[in-house]
Amino acid sequence: MKQFQWPTNGPVTLVCKRKWAETSNSVSFTLAPESIHDQGIVFNFIPGQFITLGIEIDGKMEYRAYSLSSMPNQTELQLTIKRVAGGQVSNYIVDRLQEGQAVSVLKPAGQFHLDQIHGDRIVLLSAGCGITPVMSMAKTLLANKNDNTDIHFIHAATEIDQIIYHQELLAMAEQHERFHVSIMLEDAKGSDYLEGRLTQAALKKYCSDIAERSAFLCGPVGFMGAMQENLQALGMDMDHFYQESFTPSESTQPDVEVNEGDKKVKALANATIFVPTFGAQVEAKIGSALIDALEAAKVPVIAACRSGICGSCKCKVTKGEFTRTSTETLTADEIEQGFVLACSCRVESDLEVALN
């Protein structure tokens, strides 16, 4: 099979081939090369990884990171997007993305994936649209006839009509003895599923040997925090615990004292951010994220995950002081040279910045 060649830097153009409703507030769609010469070429990635999607909305290119739900080595990439209140890109995709429409895509990335060290028994934990990366993992393992991993898939949803991939999950469980599905609903009306939240007791009831398994977890921030606490309390070896998160790091803006007449008052210190290549200069607060300043300066920088995971906002600080909260996709040489991920780089002084 000939594999699709992703560029080292920058996006490629793919086309939405198919789109369909998964639930009343989520859709799935597939992406494939727009060139007829690239048809039949397969995409390679590690199950659990995400791509960064760029869509032009009202004249501005907006980038967001979304996990892949398809398996590697297929001719189309599949994603499932759930409507988010106030979510500009997610709502656009659900309501307006059309089959045949071209979008920009950055290559697959992320450290939450199936190549992490795990045992022959795993638990896949998800809630809402967090089901997408673990679904990719499950399908890939089950498709491998040489793999014997025992998989327990535990998913939480609001109600039966909002279970993404519901029928597909049931079919997988029926076809594979080593695949087990448990579903918890906040409102279980119209189903035989348990109602409530995934407590320690519920996890143990669903999967009696859960503490001896490797865990892959994805879902809303609060859900993941609760599940991590539950698994720790149940005695799981957290060296075999992995979770996905696109949650930005907290930003702090330290106070400084300035004189105002005969008394001292607190104020936020400012710094100047200069991007020589574009002749752009902007003021930023000390302690603020570099990505905010670069966006305010209207220079061409991509901010997708905004949490130091995807690496799309990599740039180089050539002058000035800064701190980092993530070096996820940077090599040791790049770190030494002053490369940063703008979304997780904090401004500590005047900076001069070079974009990739």
Side-chain angles (χ1 to χ4, degrees), residues 33-49:
E34 60 178 350
S35 171
I36 191 171
H37 301 293
D38 289 332
Q39 290 183 5
I41 292 178
V42 299
F43 292 95
N44 188 33
F45 62 92
I46 310 173
Q49 288 189 309

Side-chain angles (χ1 to χ4, degrees), residues 138-347:
K139 291 191 296 187
T140 302
L141 289 171
L142 293 176
N144 183 353
K145 292 182 172 55
N146 297 318
D147 185 89
N148 295 312
T149 305
D150 184 87
I151 307 165
H152 201 122
F153 199 114
I154 302 177
H155 182 66
T158 54
E159 55 189 333
I160 189 168
D161 291 341
Q162 297 304 319
I163 303 173
I164 297 172
Y165 312 138
H166 189 193
Q167 295 305 314
E168 188 174 2
L169 285 170
L170 297 180
M172 290 161 63
E174 186 174 336
Q175 294 166 12
H176 302 276
E177 291 185 1
R178 61 189 179 100
F179 184 75
H180 320 279
V181 177
S182 299
I183 294 175
M184 174 74 79
L185 301 177
E186 291 181 19
D187 180 357
K189 183 166 57 177
S191 78
D192 295 326
Y193 297 126
L194 290 180
E195 182 173 282
R197 295 187 179 275
L198 285 173
T199 60
Q200 290 178 42
L203 291 173
K204 188 74 173 177
K205 177 180 177 64
Y206 280 142
C207 183
S208 60
D209 65 346
I210 193 168
E212 284 74 55
R213 291 177 178 255
S214 302
F216 293 87
L217 167 68
C218 189
V221 175
F223 171 81
M224 290 198 297
M227 292 307 101
Q228 182 174 4
E229 290 180 5
N230 287 339
L231 294 175
Q232 284 178 312
L234 289 169
M236 176 174 283
D237 178 0
M238 302 311 283
D239 286 340
H240 289 170
F241 167 84
Y242 309 101
Q243 65 178 337
E244 180 66 286
S245 176
F246 296 121
T247 307
S249 305
E250 288 293 327
S251 171
T252 58
Q253 297 184 357
D255 292 333
V256 296
E257 289 188 339
V258 297
N259 290 319
E260 188 175 283
D262 295 329
K263 61 181 180 179
K264 289 185 175 181
V265 297
K266 289 189 174 182
L268 290 173
N270 287 324
T272 299
I273 312 301
F274 180 46
V275 188
T277 305
F278 298 92
Q281 183 170 303
V282 68
E283 294 294 306
K285 301 296 185 184
I286 294 293
S288 64
L290 176 58
I291 189 65
D292 295 335
L294 295 178
E295 289 181 327
K298 300 188 183 304
V299 295
V301 61
I302 296 173
C305 72
R306 306 189 79 93
S307 57
I309 296 175
C310 73
S312 62
C313 61
K314 182 173 73 172
C315 58
K316 184 177 182 179
V317 177
T318 56
K319 292 181 182 179
E321 301 296 323
F322 60 88
T323 57
R324 299 184 181 96
T325 58
S326 172
T327 57
E328 185 78 26
T329 61
L330 301 176
T331 66
D333 285 344
E334 287 175 330
I335 294 171
E336 180 68 24
Q337 294 169 31
F339 281 94
V340 301
L341 304 177
C343 68
S344 56
C345 174
R346 303 298 168 189
V347 177

Side-chain angles (χ1 to χ4, degrees), residues 14-19 29-31 97-102:
L14 299 179
V15 171
C16 175
K17 302 296 288 187
R18 297 177 292 129
K19 180 184 176 184
F29 61 98
T30 63
L31 299 172
L97 182 69
Q98 301 293 317
E99 293 181 355
Q101 183 174 338

